Amino acid sequence: HAPAMWSHRPRVRLLQRPLQLPLLTFCLAVAARLGPCRSWVTFGRSRSLRAAPAIALAATRAPLRAAAGSSTSGDEGCTVAEAYLASSGFSDAKLRKVKVRYGCKFDPDVDSKIKPVMRWLSDLGLTTLQVRAVIVKSPTVLCMSLDRILQPALKWLKDLGMDDGQVAKVLVSSPSVLTRSVETNLKPKAKWFKDLGLDDSKVAKVLVSCPSVLTRTVENLQTKVKWLKDLGMVDLQVAETVARYPNLLTCSLDKNLKPEAQALRERGFEDSQLVSLLHGFPRLFGSRAELLTHRMNVLAAQGLLTEKSLRNTIALTEAKFAARFESTD
């Protein structure tokens, strides 16, 4: 209500004719900031402004709804592309990831880019949830040409011998594969694996189980192979190790492989034993260095530290390992 000192004053009528839309929107927004009170300054006819906040908010959302068609997003500053994804079922959290990973203003054309790519992914057999997962993980696929980039990449995967299910698995796991050039990126990677000693079927198996290797440069992959050979592996062992556990090539040399090898050496393992472990159970080197060190300490304290015990225990969950080797009962 108006202050008592103004209660005897007549109401001030600023305008006697309808306001233009921009000015009306501004005035309603100001009224929304004032809160649900009865203003002593009225527009035209005296009335309560309790409804002003909702009216002002609706006025600000109207342009977005008009731009997005059926979208109900309503986020101020939202692009048409974001509004379309919101109307397609993307949550706010997923939209934030899309914008962050896109790297700049997310605004690919809805009709010529987003809709055709989403339809193409669905036609490949991906479910609605899988299509959303692809876009969230690699939103740049929405900007790629279907004819020049996406379809050639898909054809290349199938030419390796992958069936539809395997292709879908690769796309959902590492959709950025689709954004790579066949001639300058994908084919050189496949040739590198073949030169390592893998045939087409094994290359396809490697890419299905660990498609992220295609996102590494050949130089990065080669440093891991050099490290394996420096330990004492021969070419055949390297090829078999990579085919058995290609994730090894995605591990960091400085954060995973070298620290784990050093931890094993400190426990008395020779390089020949490291080669045996890597060749026979390469997954051991895919674990965290801290986890490996902790488990070796526990096993050593009980006189159980051997190559075999490491192979048998490294894959256990923390709860199972603790129950079997750290229980005080």
Side-chain angles (χ1 to χ4, degrees):
H1 293 282
M5 61 180 292
W6 293 329
S7 60
H8 63 286
R9 298 183 181 181
R11 298 186 181 278
V12 180
R13 298 179 182 273
L14 296 180
L15 297 172
Q16 297 292 343
R17 59 183 179 180
L19 293 172
Q20 295 299 316
L21 181 59
L23 181 57
L24 175 60
T25 302
F26 170 76
C27 293
L28 289 175
V30 172
R33 298 284 294 178
L34 293 175
C37 62
R38 187 178 180 84
S39 174
W40 67 284
V41 177
T42 61
F43 306 104
R45 299 179 62 184
S46 174
R47 64 185 179 89
S48 172
L49 294 178
R50 292 183 181 276
I55 297 173
L57 183 59
T60 60
R61 288 184 174 181
L64 176 63
R65 287 197 298 269
S70 61
S71 172
T72 58
S73 174
D75 291 329
E76 294 186 20
C78 180
T79 66
V80 175
E82 293 168 32
Y84 178 77
L85 292 186
S87 71
S88 299
F90 284 72
S91 66
D92 290 343
K94 284 184 170 56
L95 281 175
R96 283 193 293 271
K97 290 180 179 179
V98 167
K99 291 191 287 184
V100 168
R101 291 169 181 168
Y102 192 75
C104 57
K105 184 178 180 181
F106 180 72
D107 198 20
D109 186 75
V110 171
D111 292 323
S112 64
K113 293 290 186 179
I114 297 180
K115 288 182 179 179
V117 171
M118 292 180 68
R119 188 181 307 115
W120 178 72
L121 291 171
S122 296
D123 291 343
L124 293 179
L126 273 64
T127 66
T128 300
L129 291 178
Q130 288 175 326
V131 170
R132 292 176 192 164
V134 167
I135 294 171
V136 170
K137 287 183 179 180
S138 185
T140 53
V141 299
L142 296 175
C143 299
M144 297 295 165
S145 167
L146 274 172
D147 296 333
R148 291 184 290 105
I149 303 293
L150 301 182
Q151 290 177 344
L154 173 68
K155 182 179 183 300
W156 181 80
L157 292 174
K158 290 189 173 183
D159 287 345
L160 285 176
M162 295 187 192
D163 57 32
D164 291 342
Q166 290 173 320
V167 168
K169 183 178 179 180
V170 169
L171 298 188
V172 173
S173 176
S174 188
S176 61
V177 170
L178 284 174
T179 67
R180 312 284 167 166
S181 166
V182 172
E183 296 300 327
T184 63
N185 193 295
L186 299 180
K187 284 185 177 180
K189 300 280 179 61
K191 182 180 182 303
W192 183 84
F193 280 107
K194 291 177 183 178
D195 292 343
L196 203 62
L198 279 65
D199 58 25
D200 286 346
S201 63
K202 288 183 179 178
V203 171
K205 183 179 178 181
V206 163
L207 300 185
V208 170
S209 61
C210 186
S212 60
V213 296
L214 288 173
T215 66
R216 302 313 199 264
T217 64
V218 169
E219 292 75 16
N220 179 277
L221 298 174
Q222 190 61 44
T223 58
K224 317 295 174 56
V225 170
K226 181 180 183 302
W227 180 77
L228 293 173
K229 290 183 176 181
D230 288 345
L231 281 178
M233 274 195 176
V234 298
D235 291 345
L236 179 60
Q237 288 176 315
V238 171
E240 291 174 344
T241 299
V242 169
R244 186 176 295 118
Y245 189 64
N247 300 66
L248 190 70
L249 295 177
T250 66
C251 294
S252 167
L253 270 177
D254 296 327
K255 295 180 180 179
N256 293 98
L257 302 181
K258 289 182 178 179
E260 288 163 354
Q262 184 58 32
L264 286 164
R265 289 189 184 104
E266 291 174 356
R267 278 293 174 184
F269 287 87
E270 302 290 338
D271 282 2
S272 60
Q273 292 175 295
L274 299 187
V275 169
S276 177
L277 282 169
L278 274 165
H279 183 245
F281 194 71
R283 190 180 302 273
L284 176 70
F285 285 77
S287 59
R288 302 190 316 273
E290 297 81 2
L291 175 66
L292 177 61
T293 300
H294 170 72
R295 296 196 175 182
M296 285 196 298
N297 291 340
V298 172
L299 293 172
Q302 300 179 30
L304 300 174
L305 183 57
T306 62
E307 286 186 41
K308 184 178 180 179
S309 66
L310 279 178
R311 295 186 188 190
N312 293 338
T313 60
I314 198 64
L316 294 177
T317 64
E318 292 186 18
K320 289 184 177 180
F321 181 84
R324 186 175 301 181
F325 299 103
E326 298 179 286
S327 176
T328 57
D329 296 336

